[in-house]
Amino acid sequence: MSTTSRTGTRTLLTALTASGALLLASCATFDESDAGGQWQAAPELTPERGPQPDLPEAQGRAEQEGNERDSIPPPDGCTDHDPAVIATCLDPVGAVAALPSMGVEVAALAGERESGTLYRATNGAEPEEVTTLDVDAAGDGGLTGLALSPSYDSDQLVYAYITTEEDNRVVRFAADSDPSPVLTGIPKGEQGNAGALATDPDGALLVATGNAGDPEAAADPDSLAGKVLRIDDTGDPAAGNPRAGSPVIASGLHSPGGLCSTADGSRSWVTDRAPDADRLHHIEPGEDLSNPAWTWEDRPGVAGCADWSDMVMVTASQAGNVQTMPIDPDGTITAEPHVVGEDDGLGYGRISDVDLITEEVAVAGTVNRAGGDPVSSDDRVVLLPRPEAAAGGAD
């Protein structure tokens, strides 16, 4: 890892320590006799803790600031000495979701695409297995999307997008409980099974679905394939959708890689891997996805995305980089992508899904064991500092 990456990691860890804005997740109880059982209200939170001490890793890095620094040893088996790595030795990570955390603790859920196993990744601790979902990972299917319930603090529910032997579907679950189906019957094919999830401030769930290898299905308003859907927690069309009684808010996807929104839900994006190019779409409810916000003809393998308010970031799982594009207030991209790769100190290889923890820090998963160049600690869950955006006008 280069000096740029290590300095970024030190800055990242310092930002985490200073923020104090990561919230304590509360607890809930669940009747495991019924996967759709009643959730009990969480107890009242205790007062916030006072300022937390700096992380030792951040202190050590501050002392070495300005050095060329090749002092971080390479991974030793599953031990990774980079403090920005919070989980190691997983199978390729298909989806991540940042968890509410406390003080300097940083936690996220990470799902293995092929096994369907979900882990809790926490800095300074071994990955903790949460549950295993029954998935069919043939083609590009499996576990490909995760999102926390909008009321996660009280209900502790997690939503997942999975491929089964029969279909693609959305399920929800809590730790140590069987999944409950939310939306089933999303078409399944030999390819085009990957999907993605996000939530909006109204409590609705956004679902990006693949076209199951059938472009005509993506254009069919009555098919769930190749769409962005907006549903409530029971799987029904959410109130306020463009077409009453329909979950569809946008059509025309091929193989979505990521779905993301601003914190206030005012703007949403979806990445898509089409046969001829990779694309980023600004979602406009009621409009087809026929006019991409950006197109990559070199097809870097667009995956996750994150909206940093003034720029959107896209991970490229084939090219092994992240790409950022500045945006104006209405969501128009104002410059070509700024590519951050290994030569710039990224140093984690192929990155798949990504989710924002704070306005300065994101969490991401890697997929180096799936055709990349893995190190002994791959695949990993890593913390990424907010990258720089490009400057100048768009082409």
Side-chain angles (χ1 to χ4, degrees):
M1 184 184 298
S2 73
T3 303
T4 302
S5 178
R6 289 171 177 144
T7 301
T9 302
R10 175 188 56 75
T11 304
L12 176 155
L13 291 167
T14 301
L16 284 174
T17 302
S19 70
L22 301 178
L23 302 177
L24 171 63
S26 56
C27 298
T29 58
F30 180 64
D31 181 3
E32 293 186 9
S33 65
D34 178 7
Q38 297 298 313
W39 293 88
Q40 305 300 319
E44 184 175 347
L45 294 177
T46 56
E48 287 189 32
R49 297 196 302 169
Q52 301 301 301
D54 287 342
L55 290 173
E57 296 91 341
Q59 294 173 350
R61 288 172 180 273
E63 294 171 359
Q64 299 180 28
E65 185 175 7
N67 297 337
E68 287 298 319
R69 302 187 54 250
D70 292 319
S71 59
I72 297 179
D76 180 13
C78 290
T79 300
D80 198 303
H81 302 284
D82 184 343
V85 174
I86 64 173
T88 64
C89 286
L90 303 179
D91 284 344
V93 177
V96 297
L99 288 170
S101 303
M102 179 174 62
V104 297
E105 178 191 78
V106 183
L109 295 177
E112 295 176 336
R113 182 182 73 84
E114 295 186 1
S115 73
T117 302
L118 192 73
Y119 292 90
R120 178 187 173 96
T122 308
N123 58 323
E126 292 294 319
E128 176 186 356
E129 185 173 336
V130 176
T131 191
T132 297
L133 303 174
D134 187 10
V135 302
D136 178 4
D140 57 352
L143 170 54
T144 59
L146 287 172
L148 303 187
S149 161
S151 52
Y152 180 81
D153 282 352
S154 60
D155 62 28
Q156 300 287 281
L157 281 170
V158 179
Y159 290 87
Y161 191 95
I162 63 173
T163 307
T164 72
E165 292 184 356
E166 297 82 23
D167 61 5
N168 292 293
R169 61 178 56 188
V170 178
V171 299
R172 68 178 181 184
F173 57 91
D176 302 320
S177 69
D178 293 331
S180 176
V182 175
L183 180 64
T184 61
I186 301 169
K188 174 186 176 183
E190 293 184 1
Q191 295 291 331
N193 297 303
L197 300 176
T199 56
D200 72 14
D202 296 327
L205 186 68
L206 302 179
V207 185
T209 70
N211 67 8
D214 182 5
E216 292 184 2
D220 181 355
D222 295 322
S223 172
L224 297 178
K227 304 295 193 297
V228 179
L229 312 174
R230 184 172 177 269
I231 59 176
D232 63 20
D233 59 2
T234 68
D236 291 332
N241 283 358
R243 186 158 64 108
S246 172
V248 177
I249 64 170
S251 303
L253 290 176
H254 298 80
S255 180
L259 186 62
C260 57
S261 301
T262 53
D264 62 3
S266 61
R267 183 172 59 231
S268 297
W269 308 86
V270 62
T271 65
D272 191 24
R273 300 179 291 265
D276 58 339
D278 286 356
R279 297 166 182 163
L280 174 68
H281 294 279
H282 182 193
I283 301 170
E284 296 284 356
E287 296 186 10
D288 289 342
L289 302 172
S290 57
N291 186 24
W294 198 266
T295 298
W296 290 265
E297 294 183 356
D298 59 345
R299 301 181 64 193
V302 293
C305 63
D307 190 317
W308 299 85
S309 296
D310 61 340
M311 67 176 173
V312 61
M313 180 179 80
V314 173
T315 61
S317 60
Q318 295 295 318
N321 57 46
V322 300
Q323 304 192 23
T324 63
M325 291 157 281
I327 50 182
D328 63 18
D330 68 1
T332 301
I333 294 173
T334 60
E336 64 182 17
H338 173 62
V339 178
V340 180
E342 185 174 359
D343 291 342
D344 304 295
L346 186 61
Y348 299 117
R350 296 185 175 190
I351 296 176
S352 56
D353 199 18
V354 63
D355 193 21
L356 292 184
I357 297 176
T358 72
E359 283 300 314
E360 298 297 329
V361 182
V363 62
T366 71
V367 287
N368 291 311
R369 289 188 180 185
D373 186 16
V375 297
S376 67
S377 59
D378 275 321
D379 271 301
R380 296 170 283 179
V381 179
V382 303
L383 303 179
L384 301 177
R386 173 189 162 93
E388 295 181 358
D395 291 342

